[in-house]
Amino acid sequence: MANDIKKVVLAYSGGLDTSIIIPWLKENYNNCEVIAVSGDVGQGTELDGLEEKAIKTGASKLYIEDLNDEFINDYVFPTVQAGAVYENRYLLGTSFARPIIAKRIAEIALKEGADAICHGCTGKGNDQVRFELAIKAFAPEMKIIAPWRIWNIKSRDEEIDYAEAHNIPLKINRETNYSKDKNLWHLSHEGLDLENPANEPQYNKKGFLEMGVSPEMAPDKPTYVTISFEKGIAVAIDGVKMGGVDVVKKLNELGGANGIGLADLVENRLVGMKSRGVYETPGGTILYHAHDVLETICIDKETARMKQYLGIKFADIVYNGQWFTPLREALSAFVAETQKTVTGDVKLKLYKGNIINAGVTSPYTLYDEEVATFDEDDVYDQKDSAGFINLFGLPIKVKAQLDAKRNKK
């Protein structure tokens, strides 16, 4: 009941949805106290002036929680280690940012003695599931308010009308009103002309891309970069040791400048519909590529095959908001075991949207040049392959012989 709600903790970004939710909550829940919480996962300038805006629109206070290190080290890097990519293209930028933000919001709601947690996710999207599953893991008794599922507002245009009527300042207008999500790892674009998959994204239009340039606008000269890994974690760029956040920032800089990491895809949302999105993930695309290259010489075939298979499931788990589950923890334990020897250096050439392999080394390599060589060697007897082929091909031979006998009858 609305009368029972006296204090609400709101997942607050300062964007269109959450900007109008503060006055909406106060109007519909007896002027309840609204405490805004923003999880800083690398939104950058989007956080500028957020406290003033939150207070001005009716919040009693704003928490801005620095989650960058935890986000990269505890959520992003384990997902990269797993090789988890959703539907072959999406590098899960929004997906693994939601659980960490929702976890912190739940912790603050409990500390503040809140009666409810509110989020601005739509009833059509994946984020409502990601937020609420995390809240259930850390505040299972907490009431959740999701305005998009209950209010009379039906579109982003109507949201803008509401904001203008309540004198809420917005950084967008109706013509450039893409739905965006930004963090240290990526930037997503949805809506407007992108809703029709027949429309080409306007990569060269001023202001569309924010993390880099289009491949056409990238330099004509390639950029070389060497990434050093320890147990599957990137720890240095071009020989310079750095933490996870700085690794991602540096690779974003290099990738963005060279037109790396643009993905245009129609994905299958958890709620059942297909959705078209355009993603910028410059540093992440480089990191996934480099990690895959290193694994080719550090992991044996059967482990690599199983890891590839489980990576699909891992990506589904992350996409579906099931981070805080026993299965995800079990898969992460498997992945961690496979990464014990994934240590070494990967050299890449970045050129106009392309990532080109330029060399890989590891102290744990399973590649033996003496065995693999086409030149003369003393470690591999080529006559042995005849027996192997006879055994490996035995089922094919037997079937063919029996088919021949049956056809004679």
Side-chain angles (χ1 to χ4, degrees):
M1 297 290 294
N3 292 336
D4 298 330
I5 306 298
K6 294 179 175 59
K7 184 185 290 189
V8 179
V9 169
L10 169 66
Y12 183 72
S13 69
L16 176 58
D17 295 331
T18 56
S19 292
I20 69 170
I21 282 175
I22 294 176
W24 181 87
L25 282 170
K26 298 181 80 67
E27 287 178 357
N28 290 273
Y29 291 88
N30 298 310
N31 199 33
C32 63
E33 179 183 0
V34 179
I35 298 171
V37 180
S38 294
D40 179 3
V41 286
Q43 300 95 310
T45 58
E46 289 184 9
L47 298 172
D48 293 348
L50 213 56
E51 183 173 12
E52 179 184 357
K53 182 176 181 180
I55 301 300
K56 186 176 180 180
T57 51
S60 62
K61 58 182 167 181
L62 170 69
Y63 287 86
I64 297 181
E65 302 294 292
D66 185 354
L67 305 174
N68 283 277
D69 285 330
E70 186 181 353
F71 172 51
I72 296 299
N73 294 315
D74 296 348
Y75 294 77
V76 175
F77 280 178
T79 305
V80 175
Q81 286 179 303
V85 179
Y86 186 71
E87 296 186 339
N88 299 314
R89 299 290 306 284
Y90 177 43
L91 300 186
L92 298 165
T94 299
S95 307
F96 47 37
R98 294 312 187 222
I100 183 176
I101 294 172
K103 173 177 178 285
R104 189 68 189 116
I105 289 169
E107 292 167 347
I108 290 173
L110 293 173
K111 184 181 78 169
E112 288 280 355
D115 303 303
I117 291 173
C118 179
H119 64 73
C121 307
T122 74
K124 285 186 174 183
N126 303 302
D127 280 345
Q128 58 181 335
V129 181
R130 296 164 183 156
F131 268 106
E132 294 185 30
L133 292 191
I135 292 168
K136 291 179 187 298
F138 294 95
E141 305 301 322
M142 187 68 65
K143 178 178 176 61
I144 297 172
I145 300 173
W148 268 108
R149 300 204 292 254
I150 56 177
W151 65 13
N152 294 322
I153 296 172
K154 301 300 181 184
S155 68
R156 290 177 70 81
D157 267 348
E158 289 185 13
E159 284 187 288
I160 295 175
D161 292 339
Y162 185 97
E164 290 174 348
H166 290 74
N167 297 313
I168 299 171
L170 299 173
K171 295 181 180 179
I172 62 172
N173 58 52
R174 297 177 195 271
E175 288 72 37
T176 62
N177 188 19
Y178 286 109
S179 177
K180 296 187 179 185
D181 177 72
K182 184 178 183 180
N183 59 44
L184 185 60
W185 186 250
H186 91 153
L187 174 66
S188 64
H189 309 256
E190 293 179 316
L192 297 181
D193 57 306
L194 297 179
E195 289 191 345
N196 185 346
N199 293 331
E200 179 182 2
Q202 301 301 303
Y203 292 132
N204 291 320
K205 183 178 180 180
K206 185 177 179 180
F208 183 81
L209 296 179
E210 298 182 26
M211 298 184 72
V213 300
S214 68
E216 296 97 323
M217 302 298 291
D220 293 331
K221 180 180 179 181
T223 298
Y224 284 88
V225 59
T226 298
I227 305 171
S228 300
F229 290 85
E230 292 180 5
K231 295 184 177 180
I233 299 294
V235 295
I237 305 294
D238 293 329
V240 179
K241 288 272 188 179
M242 55 185 72
V245 169
D246 288 333
V247 164
V248 175
K249 286 182 177 179
K250 182 63 175 178
L251 292 178
N252 276 341
E253 176 188 325
L254 295 173
N258 286 278
I260 305 294
L262 300 178
D264 174 9
L265 64 148
V266 175
E267 68 199 56
N268 290 294
R269 282 183 180 172
L270 176 59
V271 294
M273 70 185 70
K274 290 185 181 291
S275 172
R276 197 271 187 96
V278 172
Y279 300 98
E280 300 178 56
T281 322
T285 302
I286 296 171
L287 200 58
Y288 265 95
H289 186 107
H291 183 263
D292 287 347
V293 170
L294 185 56
E295 283 194 333
T296 64
I297 66 169
C298 293
I299 295 184
D300 66 277
K301 176 183 175 180
E302 292 304 318
T303 301
R305 291 292 187 275
M306 180 56 70
K307 185 172 178 292
Q308 186 178 39
Y309 169 74
L310 293 177
I312 296 173
K313 182 61 179 177
F314 198 107
D316 282 343
I317 288 172
V318 176
Y319 189 86
N320 295 343
Q322 297 170 301
W323 186 270
F324 301 112
T325 61
L327 178 55
R328 199 280 305 164
E329 292 176 1
L331 289 180
S332 287
F334 165 79
V335 170
E337 181 67 23
T338 69
Q339 299 300 289
K340 288 182 175 179
T341 59
V342 184
T343 294
D345 296 331
V346 181
K347 186 177 181 181
L348 301 171
K349 180 164 66 173
L350 312 178
Y351 183 66
K352 289 190 174 295
N354 297 290
I355 304 176
I356 303 163
N357 298 346
V360 56
T361 61
S362 170
Y364 300 104
T365 184
L366 299 176
Y367 181 86
D368 189 330
E369 189 174 351
E370 191 175 2
V371 172
T373 182
F374 283 97
D375 294 330
E376 184 178 354
D377 68 84
D378 298 319
V379 296
Y380 184 92
D381 188 343
Q382 298 198 27
K383 293 192 295 292
D384 291 344
S385 61
F388 164 74
I389 294 171
N390 285 336
L391 294 177
F392 189 64
L394 184 61
I396 297 173
K397 179 179 178 180
V398 169
K399 180 180 183 302
Q401 289 174 330
L402 293 176
D403 284 346
K405 288 180 180 179
R406 282 188 283 267
N407 291 334
K408 289 181 178 179
K409 294 181 181 179

